[in-house]
Amino acid sequence: MSSKIITIKILFVFAILIASPSAWAATYYVSASDGNDSYPGTLSSPWKTISKASSTLQPGDTVYIRQGTYRETLRPQKSGTSGNYITYAGYNNEDATITGVYDGVDLTNRSYIVLDGLRIVDVGHYWVNMHGASTNNIIKNSYMRKADGWGGIYLRDGSNYNKILNNTLISAAENGVGGPDDTIFCWSSHHNIFEGNDIQFGAHVALNIEGRGVKGYHVIRNNRIYNPWHSGLAVWRSADYSIIEGNTIIDSGESYQNNVLGSDRDRSMSREQHAGFQVSSSNLIIRNNTLVNNGRQILDTWTDFADGQDKIADNNRIYNNTFYNNYISIESRAEGGTYGNIYKNNIIDNSRQYSVKQNTPFGYNGIFYIMNNISEGQIRFSGLSDTNHWSENTNAATDFVSPASGDFNLKNGSPMIDAGHFLTSTINSGSGNTIQVGDAKYFTDGMGIIEGDLIQLEGQTQSLRIVEIANNFITVDKNTTWNKGDGVSLSFSGRTPDLGAFEYNSSSAPSAPTGLKMIIN
């Protein structure tokens, strides 16, 4: 082989290494019990402190934090880059515990950081502080309990494109001290994903999303929310265009008198005032959620005279949810009027006071109720509501598998099977991969952070993945044909969609939870 060819190959390999920083990624270890910061940071000779790791790590590097107690804030000295995250991870399921500090983790103005499998308990402020330009971070598989700040995981003022995944998060109080008030708090940020978390307690709201002038575009899905102290989930102050799906919210306000961290007002509010779910945002998709034994679910439009911000709840699509044993399953309050909201294919069962309660003293309440099953519980319209928007609703036995054990799947033979409406329909006959529909607000193309919806056309069995939505034109991943007026819904089994959160015998829909796992330690 000539020297010229050898030289070309060497240069080619060198160019690849330069172009791919991950080729130089290093792995380090920290051990509180037997480490030393003068060591090289290997598995056999680990560092002692997380601070030593933070001063060393480069984009693409990983540090494994071994079992022990770390009384220091995890504060990265630099950010990772796209495709080359800096990762802080627990080692082999060992308990690496950060405690006794102000902030457990400070990601202020840091991006592309991964926290995986850590334990953060009893800190003086936030578990994770993501204030400012803290973007594209991932917090997953971690356990966090007791923090004295307003928020536990705290995202604010430009903390965008972050992922909070599969964590156990517990607000805890001892002798009136502890918290946090909001277990997760997100303010003036956008395009974040909150998924698969087990969220327990909160003196205020377990999961609180506030737009504060910034449109949300968040994904809030498959979380398990248990807050007997106060409220479960709030999406308000114009956190618009977010997706809320597959969440289980139970027992909000059930023991509100025990909320030693809350205000006197919180502890004196009547049981039904503690919301499982509060919406004061617009253009939301709210679907496939299960809400059980909460105070109320509120669609709220009003003006907060304290801060001068309007809370507008317009053009929301609320469909295929299951409401069971709530004091007030659906409540709409509107000082200035709400417009274009649609409830469709929901099951509202066993309500303790009101299945539906509308109070609009100052304006028109544009809410449409279409093909819901509403049984047990009063229905009350007051103010200027238009009851002509009430159509094709039923009152039948739902036949859940086992509500007592938290299984809200439909039994074989349930009248809820194939009882739903298609969400929208096609405008014209055609073929190809771009379909015009009457109302595309029911669907998402993923907003650049998740996959688009799987949809299905009436009379067809194939599922189509949405790749783009522009106005009412939906572009999908494969060609198909359709007739004018064909129904369009999410992927379903049978002739038409079912009612409620769980499509019967469908491999594409999530399984109903069989109970909420409570972890207090």
Side-chain angles (χ1 to χ4, degrees), residues 11-24 81-84:
L11 291 174
F12 178 72
V13 171
F14 183 69
I16 291 176
L17 292 176
I18 291 176
S20 177
S22 60
W24 299 97
T81 61
S82 178
N84 292 284

Side-chain angles (χ1 to χ4, degrees), residues 70-86:
Y70 297 84
R71 299 185 182 277
E72 55 176 320
T73 297
L74 191 162
R75 183 175 287 112
Q77 296 301 299
K78 57 175 62 69
S79 296
T81 61
S82 178
N84 292 284
Y85 284 76
I86 293 175

Side-chain angles (χ1 to χ4, degrees), residues 399-511:
D399 284 343
F400 295 123
V401 171
S402 179
S405 62
D407 189 342
F408 291 93
N409 277 298
L410 301 174
K411 285 183 180 178
N412 184 23
S414 167
M416 305 297 101
I417 298 171
D418 289 348
H421 264 204
F422 288 97
L423 298 175
T424 187
S425 59
T426 58
I427 296 298
N428 301 298
S429 299
S431 62
N433 70 336
T434 298
I435 307 165
Q436 185 181 8
V437 300
D439 183 1
K441 290 183 182 296
Y442 291 96
F443 308 116
T444 180
D445 58 12
M447 306 177 297
I449 56 175
I450 60 172
E451 283 191 306
D453 285 338
L454 281 174
I455 63 171
Q456 187 173 329
L457 300 179
E458 182 177 2
Q460 300 187 20
T461 58
Q462 71 169 341
S463 295
L464 307 169
R465 178 75 68 183
I466 295 177
V467 296
E468 184 179 12
I469 298 176
N471 297 317
N472 284 323
F473 289 87
I474 295 175
T475 301
V476 295
D477 62 345
K478 62 188 73 166
N479 291 330
T480 188
T481 60
W482 60 91
N483 298 310
K484 180 180 179 179
D486 281 351
V488 185
S489 277
L490 297 182
S491 185
F492 61 93
S493 297
R495 295 178 293 103
T496 57
D498 299 342
L499 297 184
F502 303 101
E503 180 78 9
Y504 177 76
N505 197 30
S506 171
S507 60
S508 64
S511 298

Side-chain angles (χ1 to χ4, degrees), residues 266-282:
D266 293 338
R267 288 191 298 274
S268 62
M269 290 167 58
S270 59
R271 170 68 177 89
E272 67 271 15
Q273 297 299 309
H274 297 267
F277 186 28
Q278 181 169 357
V279 174
S280 293
S281 295
S282 298

Side-chain angles (χ1 to χ4, degrees), residues 185-364:
F185 179 77
C186 179
W187 174 323
S188 296
S189 300
H190 59 80
H191 287 92
N192 294 294
I193 300 176
F194 306 91
E195 182 173 2
N197 301 287
D198 186 352
I199 306 171
Q200 302 176 28
F201 298 94
H204 184 235
V205 183
L207 175 51
N208 190 13
I209 311 294
E210 299 191 23
R212 298 278 183 166
V214 176
K215 305 302 182 186
Y217 299 97
H218 302 296
V219 175
I220 306 160
R221 66 182 180 185
N222 301 334
N223 300 287
R224 298 156 298 279
I225 300 174
Y226 169 77
N227 188 10
W229 290 350
H230 199 7
S231 298
L233 170 63
V235 182
W236 63 318
R237 286 190 169 94
S238 302
D240 300 346
Y241 298 98
S242 296
I243 300 167
I244 302 101
E245 64 178 353
N247 301 286
T248 301
I249 305 175
I250 67 170
D251 292 349
S252 298
E254 179 67 9
S255 58
Y256 66 94
Q257 302 95 332
N258 298 328
N259 185 5
V260 297
L261 301 177
S263 66
D264 292 339
R265 175 179 177 273
D266 293 338
R267 288 191 298 274
S268 62
M269 290 167 58
S270 59
R271 170 68 177 89
E272 67 271 15
Q273 297 299 309
H274 297 267
F277 186 28
Q278 181 169 357
V279 174
S280 293
S281 295
S282 298
N283 295 290
L284 304 176
I285 295 174
I286 302 171
R287 63 192 182 192
N288 301 113
N289 301 286
T290 305
L291 299 105
V292 180
N293 194 39
N294 302 290
R296 59 184 181 172
Q297 290 30 265
I298 315 169
L299 191 64
D300 220 354
T301 293
W302 54 295
T303 299
D304 188 336
F305 295 102
D307 62 17
Q309 294 191 41
D310 290 332
K311 284 74 175 177
I312 306 299
D314 289 346
N315 296 310
N316 297 296
R317 298 294 178 265
I318 304 165
Y319 65 92
N320 282 103
N321 301 284
T322 294
F323 302 89
Y324 184 82
N325 201 45
N326 300 288
Y327 282 76
I328 304 172
S329 289
I330 296 172
E331 180 174 7
S332 174
R333 305 183 305 188
E335 291 184 354
T338 61
Y339 301 91
N341 298 289
I342 300 178
Y343 285 87
K344 184 179 286 189
N345 294 349
N346 300 286
I347 294 175
I348 305 167
D349 196 5
N350 205 45
S351 301
R352 296 192 180 192
Q353 292 183 358
Y354 295 99
S355 291
V356 177
K357 181 181 180 183
Q358 289 194 188
N359 183 28
T360 56
F362 304 113
Y364 169 75

